[in-house]
Amino acid sequence: MNTAGESDAGTPADTVKKLRPARTNATKQKLFEASMELIGERGVAGVTVDEIAAAAGVSKGTVYYNFGSKSDLIAQLLRHGVDILLARLLSVRDDAADPLAAMDEMIGQAMDFMDQYPSFARLWVSENWRTPSEWQDTFAELRGRLLAVVSAAIDGVAAVYPVDPAVSRGSLETAIFGACFVVGLDRQTYNPERTREQSVAAIMASMRGYIVK
C-alpha cells in the first residue's frame, strides 16, 4: 500500500489536492458508474475500494486520499447519485405548464434514472431501511432532499386542482417517492416488458387519486 502522500502512480498528494473541479467531477462519475456495476453484481459487502478504482481506471491512491475509506466512498457516491437524480427531476420544472403534466414528466425522469442506474436503486432499497446502517445519516439527508422536490411538485398540483384534505400529505409524498424506486427496480428486475409510460401511470395513480373530481 502506498504512503498517504502518494498515489499508486507516484502522484504527490499536493498534485491530487490541485485537481480541477471538472476533473474531480469526472473522476467521481467514473467511480460512481464503476461502483454501481460492481455493487449490482456482488453487493456492497462483496466489493473493495481497489476493485472500484481499477474498474474506473482511477489510481487507488487518489481514491484513498480523497475518500479515506470504503464507507466514505460509498457515502459520497450516494450523494453523487442523488445529485444526478435531482438534476433530472428539477429539469422538468416549468411554472407555465400544467403541474400535473409536469409531475408526470418528473416521474418519467425518475424512471429513466432507474433504467440507467438500476444498481443505485438496489443499493438505496437494500441499505436505506437497514437498521442500523453505517450510512443512516447520509440516507436521511438525501431522502429529505428528494422528498422536498416531490413535496414542491405536489404543492404545485394542489395550487391548481382541488385536492382531498383527508389524504396525509406526508404519506402521499412518501408513497410517490418510494414507488419511483420500487416500481423502477421491479420493472428492471422482473418485468422488463413494462413500458416507461405504464410505470409512470401506475405511480401517478396515487397523485390523481389525491385530486377531487
Side-chain angles (χ1 to χ4, degrees):
M1 183 173 177
N2 298 314
T3 63
E6 289 194 354
S7 70
D8 278 0
T11 303
D14 287 345
T15 301
V16 177
K17 288 181 182 179
K18 295 176 183 177
L19 287 173
R20 294 178 180 179
R23 183 178 174 186
T24 301
N25 289 336
T27 298
K28 189 175 289 186
Q29 180 65 22
K30 289 179 182 178
L31 289 168
F32 178 75
E33 292 181 355
S35 67
M36 288 304 103
E37 182 174 352
L38 291 171
I39 288 170
E41 294 172 354
R42 287 178 275 164
V44 177
V47 177
T48 67
V49 172
D50 288 9
E51 289 171 326
I52 293 173
V58 175
S59 162
K60 67 180 180 181
T62 298
V63 177
Y64 281 118
Y65 181 82
N66 283 279
F67 300 102
S69 68
K70 177 181 173 180
S71 181
D72 290 340
L73 172 62
I74 296 299
Q76 289 303 313
L77 293 178
L78 285 169
R79 293 179 186 279
H80 184 67
V82 167
D83 284 344
I84 295 172
L85 176 55
L86 281 171
R88 294 190 182 189
L89 299 182
L90 295 173
S91 70
V92 302
R93 277 188 172 175
D94 184 354
D95 294 337
D98 175 0
L100 201 58
M103 189 165 195
D104 188 287
E105 180 54 27
M106 186 183 78
I107 292 173
Q109 289 290 334
M111 292 299 99
D112 292 343
F113 175 85
M114 303 304 166
D115 284 349
Q116 188 172 358
Y117 301 113
S119 294
F120 184 88
R122 293 189 187 96
L123 175 62
W124 186 277
V125 172
S126 65
E127 293 292 333
N128 198 10
W129 287 278
R130 188 189 299 276
T131 304
S133 169
E134 58 186 303
W135 302 290
Q136 188 169 357
D137 291 342
T138 300
F139 276 119
E141 176 195 340
L142 298 178
R143 179 179 180 275
R145 291 174 62 194
L146 290 168
L147 280 174
V149 175
V150 176
S151 179
I154 294 175
D155 283 342
V157 172
V160 174
Y161 293 91
V163 296
D164 186 352
V167 174
S168 164
R169 270 293 302 273
S171 295
L172 180 61
E173 292 165 8
T174 303
I176 293 171
F177 167 75
C180 287
F181 280 92
V182 175
V183 172
L185 185 54
D186 183 79
R187 176 179 168 226
Q188 286 293 316
T189 307
Y190 297 111
N191 296 284
E193 76 284 356
R194 287 182 188 160
T195 67
R196 175 187 192 267
E197 291 70 26
Q198 288 173 326
S199 298
V200 171
I203 297 170
M204 282 296 292
S206 295
M207 192 65 229
R208 295 185 186 280
Y210 183 46
I211 297 172
V212 176
K213 304 299 183 181

